[in-house]
Amino acid sequence: LFVITTVLWMVAVALYISSYVVSEVFKFYFLYWDAYVIFAVWPMCFVIALYINVIYIWCGNNTQGTAILVMMNIIMTICAGIIIPVSYLPESFSMFSYVMPVTALNRYCQMVIFSYPTVKEVLSIVLWSIIFGGIGVLGIWKDSRYGSASC
């Protein structure tokens, strides 16, 4: 879990630094340097790592787990309004956008990069950490000898 979080964090920091360099070199000025971002993206990377861990715990470390991870990511990306704004989605999709973890992660990321996250965004990240952590613990417990019905 820590390895996944660290790799995601390094990719996020590399993308932030490269975006800043592009912004400065080409005089776009869409992104300003703030060292706070480097540390503030870590909780978001941790939640993503927990999510990946939960999928692989419950679906297995095989092709099935990867296929389910990709399918869930596509569904969440569409329903969360990342590709198409939620206001343009049908009512059946837009109601799911409020309960998708990607929506909370997207809001948190936007607030970290362009301003500072509010208490609501921080609490949503903590809530998703607790949810994914709890599901992961249940999955590990299920596979252990204490979670099985037979002794």
Side-chain angles (χ1 to χ4, degrees):
L1 188 63
F2 181 73
V3 173
I4 297 171
T5 303
T6 305
V7 169
L8 288 171
W9 178 76
M10 289 190 307
V11 169
V13 168
L15 285 172
Y16 177 70
I17 291 172
S18 61
S19 298
Y20 169 74
V21 168
V22 166
S23 175
E24 288 296 313
V25 167
F26 293 108
K27 309 287 188 228
F28 291 145
Y29 301 117
F30 67 90
L31 193 62
Y32 295 98
W33 178 255
D34 190 0
Y36 162 79
V37 173
I38 291 175
F39 302 105
V41 295
W42 192 89
M44 181 186 66
C45 295
F46 181 68
V47 171
I48 294 170
L50 280 171
Y51 165 70
I52 292 169
N53 192 33
V54 162
I55 295 293
Y56 279 111
I57 284 172
W58 284 92
C59 299
N61 291 327
N62 53 22
T63 309
Q64 181 183 1
T66 305
I68 290 175
L69 180 68
V70 169
M71 181 189 65
M72 291 295 293
N73 287 341
I74 290 170
I75 291 170
M76 285 196 297
T77 302
I78 292 171
C79 291
I82 294 175
I83 296 174
I84 302 169
V86 176
S87 58
Y88 293 119
L89 292 174
E91 187 68 30
S92 58
F93 284 109
S94 63
M95 68 181 189
F96 289 116
S97 70
Y98 301 110
V99 296
M100 294 284 172
V102 176
T103 304
L105 292 170
N106 191 25
R107 272 197 314 258
Y108 179 81
C109 186
Q110 288 173 356
M111 295 299 284
V112 164
I113 291 175
F114 297 114
S115 65
Y116 293 101
T118 63
V119 173
K120 179 181 175 184
E121 278 83 26
V122 173
L123 288 177
S124 69
I125 293 295
V126 170
L127 176 68
W128 282 112
S129 296
I130 292 169
I131 290 170
F132 287 142
I135 294 171
V137 167
L138 286 175
I140 292 171
W141 179 75
K142 177 187 71 102
D143 291 339
S144 70
R145 68 182 181 103
Y146 299 110
S148 62
S150 62
C151 293

